[in-house]
Amino acid sequence: MKKISRRKMIQFGVLSGLASALGVNAGIAKASVLIPTPDETEGPFYPVKDQQDKDADLTQIKGYTAAAQGQHIVVSGQVQDVAGHPLAQATLDIWQADAHGRYHHPRDPNPANPDENFQGWAIIRSDESGLFRFKTVMPGAYPASGSWIRPPHIHFKVSKPGYRVLTTQMYFPAEKLNRSDLLWNAKSERERTAMTAQLVAKQGNLPVYEYNIVLDLLRR
């Protein structure tokens, strides 16, 4: 067998090390790519009547003394791009049903009495680290048809210049009605995971759910 010179061995070692490093780095980079949060239907109950109070506390309407009914919760998370970079000043348009499963919408057919102390709608922004946080109530389930009961969920419309507008729905973990929901069942297992919040802590009596959102670049 022909001997390889010391210089060649050194060159080979350097090149092999470089290739190995590039391979590892490429693997890490590939693994760090996030899937964009899946789209979901906006639904028929996006607010049509403007309101003054659209802040991050949906449990208390400005000027009202009583708080919203139901289990109060906190939802927090981070808006990111697919590379995992935080996205500052993203706009989050949030709306949901109250604890009785009723929306503040004139065409909601749910016979449940609406909670007049529930704000129902918020428009907030992520901070400089892409973080957001709001207080709300656990939304109630409601009938979408005679045989279809929608599980508790929160609607999001998230936007930032340079990124595709995302309209989606956040689901709750360990919710039995998820398994029979037509929209939920239309998603893959990976998509369901991306659309489901995680119960991460308790703040006093308030359950805290984490829900991270990934935006995709606007394609031109």
Side-chain angles (χ1 to χ4, degrees):
M1 181 176 176
K2 187 177 179 181
K3 290 185 178 179
I4 302 175
S5 70
R6 185 170 181 272
R7 177 174 292 181
K8 290 289 185 183
M9 289 289 288
I10 292 171
Q11 288 176 345
F12 182 76
V14 170
L15 290 173
S16 296
L18 181 59
S20 177
L22 287 173
V24 170
N25 288 339
I28 292 172
K30 186 175 181 181
S32 69
V33 172
L34 304 173
I35 66 164
T37 300
D39 291 294
E40 188 55 275
T41 176
E42 181 179 289
F45 303 127
Y46 181 82
V48 293
K49 183 179 180 182
D50 200 10
Q51 59 191 51
Q52 276 193 325
D53 194 356
K54 295 195 284 280
D55 69 4
D57 186 354
L58 286 80
T59 68
Q60 187 73 56
I61 300 175
K62 187 177 180 180
Y64 285 48
T65 56
Q69 300 170 26
Q71 172 64 63
H72 293 191
I73 63 173
V74 171
V75 178
S76 65
Q78 186 179 49
V79 183
Q80 305 168 304
D81 64 15
V82 293
H85 301 131
L87 296 180
Q89 297 301 304
T91 300
L92 295 94
D93 191 342
I94 302 156
W95 69 103
Q96 65 167 85
D98 61 25
H100 309 298
R102 179 71 184 263
Y103 287 88
H104 288 330
H105 195 285
R107 292 194 296 277
D108 185 354
N110 189 342
N113 292 323
D115 182 358
E116 300 298 339
N117 295 309
F118 179 54
Q119 186 174 299
W121 184 19
I123 298 179
I124 61 176
R125 289 181 182 273
S126 60
D127 69 11
E128 294 309 306
S129 298
L131 300 173
F132 66 90
R133 184 181 180 91
F134 62 94
K135 183 180 178 183
T136 186
V137 302
M138 175 64 76
Y142 60 86
S145 68
S147 58
W148 178 18
I149 305 296
R150 293 245 46 217
H153 60 278
I154 298 177
H155 296 265
F156 286 78
K157 186 181 292 184
V158 188
S159 59
K160 180 177 172 63
Y163 293 83
R164 194 170 64 84
V165 176
L166 169 72
T167 301
T168 192
Q169 296 179 23
M170 184 196 95
Y171 295 91
F172 290 87
E175 173 54 56
K176 292 180 180 179
L177 286 171
N178 287 346
R179 295 196 296 267
S180 59
D181 185 64
L182 299 183
L183 298 181
W184 171 266
N185 283 318
K187 302 295 183 185
S188 69
E189 188 64 34
R190 191 181 185 194
E191 289 174 325
R192 293 173 194 168
T193 299
M195 297 173 74
T196 304
Q198 297 300 316
L199 180 61
V200 293
K202 272 207 167 187
Q203 182 181 311
N205 293 324
L206 295 178
V208 179
Y209 291 90
E210 181 181 352
Y211 183 63
N212 296 315
I213 295 169
V214 181
L215 298 185
D216 200 4
L217 281 168
L218 187 62
R219 309 295 178 183
R220 290 186 171 84

